[in-house]
Amino acid sequence: LEDSDTTVFFNVFDPDGHGFTSYLAEAPEYVTLYHDSSAASGQIVITPGFGDESGQVILSVTDDDYLPRTTLDTFYVSINHYPTYDAPDSYYVVEESADSLEISTFDTDGDQVVLQMDSAPDYVSYNPSDTTLANGTLSITPYEGAESGYVCFTFTDDGNPTATVSPNCIHIIVNHFPGFGGLTDFHVPEEDVLDTLITFFDDDDGQEFTYEVLYSPDYVSWETYGDNE
């Protein structure tokens, strides 16, 4: 598995009792040989980093006879890479407005990936889009007052050994409608003056906002206090 450590132990013997030396005739750069000259055993440490490729290892052992002989042993290091998925870190939706988001996975080794949703707000559901369970769709239907939250996934491939990535979370950010304060029906005698204060608020999100008067009679005027406060 990429970004992991694996140690392979081996024994060396010579039927004639000669000493011997060993070295790696071929190996990826993440493979290291630890073997003292003439020691009966040694080890090969395999430490592939993220993105390292599979490769062949050839161990060469030569005795110290007058007519030295060399023996080669070979094995293959097959690296399983972690799968990835295509999804944003955060996704914005508006309360009381249905939305959806496609989620897909990819495995550089061609392994089958299973994508599973572990947790989500109560207004989010996940539906696999095919029988392989590698892709799916998030259905997001935030109701009035729904709070922002995280949708978290685990995805696992069927390589050897298996590679699991968890948690992988998408922040669902719900934008709420701003509110008014001080608006009602006003009853004003003619040739009289009424002053009233109207407030705007966005308690749920704390965002800045602007306002616009779409219609008013010609005898109504207004003034904004502060920086559109």
Side-chain angles (χ1 to χ4, degrees), residues 104-125:
S104 60
T105 62
F106 173 75
D107 189 276
T108 189
D109 304 312
D111 298 324
Q112 180 62 52
V113 180
V114 174
L115 178 66
Q116 175 182 336
M117 187 176 75
D118 300 322
S119 61
D122 58 2
Y123 52 84
V124 176
S125 62

Side-chain angles (χ1 to χ4, degrees), residues 18-69:
H18 296 297
F20 38 77
T21 58
S22 63
Y23 74 99
L24 292 177
E26 180 181 332
E29 62 180 12
Y30 53 79
V31 176
T32 305
L33 171 66
Y34 294 95
H35 180 226
D36 294 333
S37 178
S38 297
S41 62
Q43 59 188 32
I44 296 174
V45 178
I46 306 169
T47 57
F50 285 110
D52 281 343
E53 298 296 330
S54 304
Q56 180 176 251
V57 176
I58 301 177
L59 174 63
S60 174
V61 179
T62 302
D63 65 23
D64 60 1
D65 192 6
Y66 179 75
L67 296 175
R69 301 296 299 270

Side-chain angles (χ1 to χ4, degrees), residues 95-97 141-147 174 176-177 204:
E95 65 176 345
E96 298 186 284
S97 179
T141 55
Y143 45 81
E144 181 180 0
E147 296 183 357
V174 181
H176 302 87
F177 291 102
D204 291 320

